[in-house]
Amino acid sequence: MRFRSLSTAAFSTILLATAAADAAAQETRQYINGRSASQSDALPFSGGVLVGNTLYLSGVLGGPATATPEEAARNAMNSIQATLEGAGMTMDDLVQVQIFAADLADYAAFNAVYRTYFTREFPARAFLGAGSLLNNARFEVLGIAVRR
């Protein structure tokens, strides 16, 4: 079996094509409610990262345990909706959602609020019992959206 080596010109062409693809991918990255590592007083994450037509949403909290489950669900879903709108998207662009709940007994209350945010098919979803959440929140919600 014989192996051929790449010519310098072919190798250079491959490197240039890879660099161009990497540069194009970086150009399409947009930060929604972005925060920088140089902002020492900012939370260490951005609200969402848009890459091409896909938006990766950070987790948002639904408010403290003193809020009713419905209020906490509404707070979290309003935050998700605001981040989507910042990227020029709607709730119907969500394709996957994860909900972390401090108490699984809040499942029905969360669903009653959740379903009011959609006009089309529901996204794929997980509802997970998480025990205690940051700031004693009832819910944390995150997701992925793809522009229709």
Side-chain angles (χ1 to χ4, degrees), residues 81-141:
Q81 188 173 41
T83 303
L84 285 162
E85 288 171 356
M89 298 173 131
T90 71
M91 295 296 283
D92 288 321
D93 290 315
L94 281 169
V95 295
Q96 193 270 338
V97 174
Q98 292 181 29
I99 300 107
F100 297 90
D103 186 347
L104 288 175
D106 293 336
Y107 180 75
F110 185 90
N111 283 339
V113 172
Y114 177 85
R115 64 178 52 254
T116 67
Y117 282 81
F118 300 93
T119 60
R120 299 179 77 166
E121 304 85 5
F122 292 116
R125 192 183 95 168
F127 191 96
L128 306 156
S132 63
L133 295 170
L134 288 174
N135 301 324
N136 292 318
R138 284 187 180 272
F139 305 110
E140 183 168 355
V141 180

Side-chain angles (χ1 to χ4, degrees), residues 43-98:
L43 293 171
F45 57 89
S46 296
V49 180
L50 182 64
V51 181
N53 286 325
T54 303
L55 178 65
Y56 301 90
L57 295 142
S58 290
V60 296
L61 300 176
T66 56
T68 68
E70 293 81 7
E71 290 168 337
R74 199 167 293 105
N75 289 341
M77 296 306 292
N78 285 343
S79 293
I80 292 289
Q81 188 173 41
T83 303
L84 285 162
E85 288 171 356
M89 298 173 131
T90 71
M91 295 296 283
D92 288 321
D93 290 315
L94 281 169
V95 295
Q96 193 270 338
V97 174
Q98 292 181 29

Side-chain angles (χ1 to χ4, degrees), residues 25-45:
Q26 298 236 348
E27 288 175 22
T28 64
R29 188 176 298 181
Q30 177 185 353
Y31 292 86
I32 311 302
N33 302 323
R35 297 181 186 108
S36 170
S38 65
Q39 296 172 288
S40 61
D41 60 338
L43 293 171
F45 57 89

